[in-house]
Amino acid sequence: MFKKFSDKEMVSSVNNAKSSVQRTIRQSVQEQYPYIESVLNQILPKKDALKVVKCHEHIELLAAQNGEILFFKQREGPYIPTLKLIHKYPFILPPMQVDKGAIRFVLSGANIMCPGLTSPGAKMTKVGNSSIVVVMAEGKQNALAIGLTKMSTEEILQKNKGIGLENLHYLNDGLWNMKPVK
């Protein structure tokens, strides 16, 4: 999604969200990510302005008052936290760990295959199909990517073939390198 993302070419408009829109966004984020409740006021303060950045390909970014990108979504999909936000609050999303052999492929934007999640160096958290997860790596402390499960954990273990996670956002992609929004 963000492999060739360039803020100069892709951003079409930046607007401050109305307070009613902000309330709706806060509520949907809280429903999607139950573990975020304790830090939601730090991430999305009620009194601060929230910027909505519209981009090409129906991508919408949410930025804090200081311009830092916090969440993104495509079309009518869920709001997904950015990696920079996950590095500050790693407990928001359930973790999936890949083995050392998968690191370079994940960092180049490849989807994560089932064998990369079931090998000896990998660990999985029990989640269902179409869940947003954070991708960690064996021997590394910070997250590598944000992914969307294509199968439940049980199906990944059972089949052990095909794409287990779709890579949505990874270190050094266009969204990671995007400058704060003005």
Side-chain angles (χ1 to χ4, degrees):
M1 187 183 314
F2 295 106
K3 201 169 206 166
K4 295 178 182 167
F5 188 83
S6 163
D7 52 340
K8 291 180 179 94
E9 298 167 13
M10 301 294 278
V11 173
S12 54
S13 70
V14 179
N15 299 314
N16 284 336
K18 295 179 185 175
S19 59
S20 60
V21 172
Q22 249 180 291
R23 264 193 310 275
T24 307
I25 290 169
R26 280 177 57 90
Q27 187 176 7
S28 71
V29 165
Q30 191 171 359
E31 287 170 8
Q32 286 175 304
Y33 309 109
Y35 300 116
I36 204 170
E37 192 171 356
S38 62
V39 292
L40 187 61
N41 286 329
Q42 294 169 358
I43 297 170
L44 296 171
K46 290 179 183 176
K47 300 291 181 192
D48 286 359
L50 183 66
K51 296 176 184 178
V52 178
V53 182
K54 301 271 185 184
C55 303
H56 298 292
E57 297 177 29
H58 303 280
I59 295 172
E60 186 178 293
L61 309 174
L62 295 179
Q65 193 170 10
N66 63 3
E68 179 188 1
I69 307 296
L70 302 171
F71 293 91
F72 65 93
K73 78 173 188 171
Q74 188 169 21
R75 298 194 185 274
E76 298 303 312
Y79 284 104
I80 302 166
T82 62
L83 270 172
K84 289 182 181 179
L85 186 65
I86 291 297
H87 285 178
K88 289 180 188 173
Y89 306 103
F91 54 86
I92 294 173
L93 294 175
M96 296 287 237
Q97 181 174 302
V98 296
D99 59 3
K100 287 181 180 178
I103 295 173
R104 69 185 179 117
F105 297 107
V106 173
L107 291 177
S108 66
N111 290 329
I112 295 126
M113 307 305 281
C114 291
L117 294 166
T118 57
S119 66
K123 293 179 190 163
M124 289 194 291
T125 305
K126 192 172 184 174
V127 293
N129 187 10
S130 299
S131 298
I132 306 294
V133 295
V134 60
V135 180
M136 306 298 283
E138 178 185 12
K140 304 294 178 196
Q141 193 164 355
N142 289 323
L144 292 179
I146 306 288
L148 176 71
T149 57
K150 290 295 179 188
M151 305 178 212
S152 68
T153 310
E154 291 84 24
E155 287 177 293
I156 291 171
L157 285 167
Q158 212 171 45
K159 292 182 182 175
N160 205 19
K161 268 191 180 153
I163 298 171
L165 287 174
E166 180 184 348
N167 193 342
L168 301 175
H169 168 40
Y170 55 94
L171 286 175
N172 290 323
D173 68 358
L175 183 60
W176 174 267
N177 292 319
M178 189 171 170
K179 292 178 177 45
V181 179
K182 293 180 182 166

